Amino acid sequence: MHPPSDLLDRCRKEPDALAVLIDWYEEQGDPHWAQWLRAGATGEKRRSILARALKKSGMRLRESDQRWFRLDERFAGPLLDTLSWTVKEPDRLDDLLRIPAFARATRVHLASWRPRTAIPTVLADLAARRPATRHLDVLDVPVGLDALAGFTGLQGLGLRLDRPHRAELAVRDLCIRTFQPGDLEAWLEVRTPALQNFEIHRVASDLPWDPTQIRPADIEALLDRPFDTISVDRGLYHAFRDVFDRASGRRVWLLPPRIVPGDEEAARWSVLA
């Protein structure tokens, strides 16, 4: 069973509502989630309590070297803003959404475990259950824009496109994820008239990365859209510095080098389920 949605909304601000929600999980036979709700822990203790609760639910918390959530970054309370999920079993989505930590998450980051065909299944299911998801990020699997049709409130998007599309997206934040230069071409005819923050991010992989395969005209076409800020992979920027500086007409921010596990003071985590 899922906890009552009105109770979840209220318990962000009302201590009495949070106490009722804790009782609800106790009555449902989930004392580990009742403990998470009442703990109010921070730092390493916060992570440990979440890890133990997930383990009792048949899942685990895994450290990630990608930009997933930090347990004390964007929120202060037991209802997290972000669900970061390394998908192993796509049918576990229902289990994840009934967990109090993720019951009101509006930012969803997805990566694949095995098999990668799980991601389209998860996107369809997530769109049906959480159409108001505000930010969606798919790290490694190419996705078609048709898979986003059920999301009615997307403000931020990060993904690879599976093929060229002619479409319009109403997002304010866009991260084009690339494994190889050809991934950029898929975005040339996607219009983003409301865009504010634009990012071109190269995901580290074993696939060849040769910027000379990219035509300067394609970079110019990719940048021919409104945006306020732009952040770019360092290698791509240095290969086409003149094009970026001329076409964007504003300062180009360089993304940091790929994060190596252990380099950050505060680790980032995702759920493996």
Side-chain angles (χ1 to χ4, degrees):
M1 292 180 61
H2 289 264
S5 59
D6 61 334
L7 185 59
L8 288 166
D9 291 335
R10 288 167 46 214
C11 77
R12 282 190 180 272
K13 300 179 179 180
E14 302 177 23
D16 291 344
L18 181 59
V20 173
L21 185 61
I22 290 172
D23 290 341
W24 187 91
Y25 275 100
E26 293 278 12
E27 293 168 0
Q28 295 299 315
D30 295 323
H32 46 287
W33 289 118
Q35 180 188 6
W36 163 261
L37 289 169
R38 69 167 64 95
T42 59
E44 179 62 19
K45 185 176 180 181
R46 181 179 177 86
R47 186 206 66 81
S48 297
I49 295 173
L50 180 58
R52 287 198 300 269
L54 285 167
K55 185 176 181 179
K56 290 181 179 295
S57 298
M59 308 173 193
R60 66 182 175 93
L61 196 63
R62 66 190 298 263
E63 188 169 357
S64 172
D65 63 342
Q66 301 296 338
R67 290 175 296 169
W68 299 144
F69 71 89
R70 289 179 180 172
L71 284 180
D72 293 287
E73 185 178 84
R74 293 177 55 85
F75 41 75
L79 302 183
L80 311 186
D81 294 330
T82 303
L83 166 60
S84 297
W85 181 19
T86 303
V87 181
K88 187 175 182 181
E89 300 178 31
D91 56 0
R92 302 288 325 251
L93 179 63
D94 187 68
D95 297 330
L96 277 168
L97 296 185
R98 73 175 298 273
I99 288 173
F102 310 118
R104 278 292 177 266
T106 59
R107 300 174 61 89
V108 179
H109 300 279
L110 299 173
S112 64
W113 188 256
R114 294 186 304 268
R116 292 192 171 196
T117 53
I119 295 296
T121 300
V122 169
L123 287 174
D125 202 6
L126 182 64
R129 296 168 184 266
R130 293 280 180 86
T133 297
R134 293 202 300 266
H135 184 101
L136 180 64
D137 194 2
V138 182
L139 176 64
D140 50 356
V141 178
V143 174
L145 290 184
D146 52 341
L148 308 180
F151 295 100
T152 59
L154 278 182
Q155 300 174 7
L157 183 65
L159 49 75
R160 298 169 62 202
L161 285 184
D162 64 343
R163 62 187 182 281
H165 288 263
R166 178 174 294 178
E168 181 173 303
L169 295 175
V171 296
R172 295 184 308 191
D173 304 298
L174 176 64
C175 175
I176 294 178
R177 295 198 174 278
T178 66
F179 272 30
Q180 51 191 342
D183 289 332
L184 296 174
E185 299 174 7
W187 289 93
L188 293 180
E189 295 191 74
V190 178
R191 299 199 305 127
T192 51
L195 189 62
Q196 296 177 7
N197 303 306
F198 188 23
E199 181 175 323
I200 304 174
H201 174 224
R202 183 170 71 90
V203 179
S205 75
D206 296 331
L207 296 175
W209 175 263
D210 181 3
T212 62
Q213 298 177 11
I214 305 172
R215 298 181 303 172
D218 286 345
I219 299 293
E220 292 179 355
L222 194 66
L223 299 175
D224 186 19
R225 65 187 71 229
F227 54 83
D228 296 330
T229 64
I230 182 168
S231 303
V232 181
D233 168 77
R234 290 169 178 265
L236 185 64
Y237 173 74
H238 289 306
F240 296 98
R241 180 169 186 166
D242 292 343
V243 177
F244 275 106
D245 290 345
R246 181 175 65 253
S248 68
R250 54 185 63 82
R251 182 174 180 178
V252 179
W253 298 94
L254 300 186
L255 294 171
R258 180 172 180 263
I259 298 169
V260 177
D263 279 359
E264 290 186 290
E265 293 183 3
R268 297 179 185 268
W269 305 88
S270 62
V271 178
L272 177 59

